[in-house]
Amino acid sequence: MTADLRSQVIRRTVAELVAFEGEVAGRLERAQQLSSGHPDALAAIQRLRPMVQRHRDQLTTYLKECGGAEPSGEMTSPLSASRESNALSEALRDLCLAFHNCALGYAMLFEVALRLYEPCLREIAPRHLKEHADAALFTARLLPGVV
């Protein structure tokens, strides 16, 4: 694999994860607005927001340092934009799915980092993968109490 192709694969994969993190941040913000009557859910959401922002910042920094363009704006799925009247339980379900989606993305990034020998991403990807998997499980455990 040529160095240019290698760089393109890595930058594309990282940029996709930055977009996923932006989507999760948007879903967390929406869920926070809906969780005023559920203190456990509100506390969990407030705990998860800095993690998502930290992940996004680290990946954006990585992209800048490797010469890639800074990702533009937050990418949200049409599904999240069309459900403004969702209940908190649906917002938490969407969050859980988004965390799973990010975890899968980090699993793919880790494999790319291993195969293409990218030391920085070899450290970042497994940490972020674990935190997203934990967040998905934690969010899923909140659902029964909210429902």
Side-chain angles (χ1 to χ4, degrees):
M1 179 177 280
T2 66
D4 190 42
L5 182 58
R6 174 187 175 278
S7 296
Q8 288 176 359
V9 169
I10 289 170
R11 279 195 304 266
R12 185 187 71 237
T13 305
V14 171
E16 287 173 359
L17 279 165
V18 171
F20 287 156
E21 294 285 5
E23 183 176 329
V24 172
R27 289 175 188 239
L28 279 167
E29 183 177 333
R30 189 169 154 273
Q32 184 172 345
Q33 294 169 354
L34 293 169
S35 64
S36 61
H38 299 275
D40 291 341
L42 181 61
I45 290 164
Q46 289 173 337
R47 183 179 64 85
L48 293 169
R49 287 184 81 177
M51 175 198 75
V52 170
Q53 187 60 47
R54 186 180 71 251
H55 290 181
R56 193 166 184 215
D57 291 346
Q58 286 177 335
L59 292 179
T60 300
T61 300
Y62 174 82
L63 278 178
K64 288 178 187 175
E65 289 174 356
C66 77
E70 186 174 342
S72 60
E74 290 185 11
M75 186 175 96
T76 58
S77 70
L79 191 61
S80 66
S82 67
R83 294 185 180 176
E84 288 304 314
S85 62
N86 278 354
L88 177 59
S89 60
E90 290 182 36
L92 288 175
R93 184 198 63 203
D94 289 345
L95 261 175
C96 187
L97 292 173
F99 282 128
H100 278 286
N101 194 21
C102 281
L104 290 171
Y106 281 112
M108 291 172 56
L109 178 64
F110 185 60
E111 190 62 30
V112 166
L114 287 174
R115 292 180 186 265
L116 301 180
Y117 193 73
E118 187 59 35
C120 180
L121 293 177
R122 284 181 172 191
E123 292 179 24
I124 291 173
R127 266 195 329 262
H128 291 197
L129 168 61
K130 182 181 180 339
E131 289 177 348
H132 276 287
D134 291 346
L137 184 59
F138 187 72
T139 305
R141 288 181 179 157
L142 286 173
L143 277 169
V146 171
V147 172

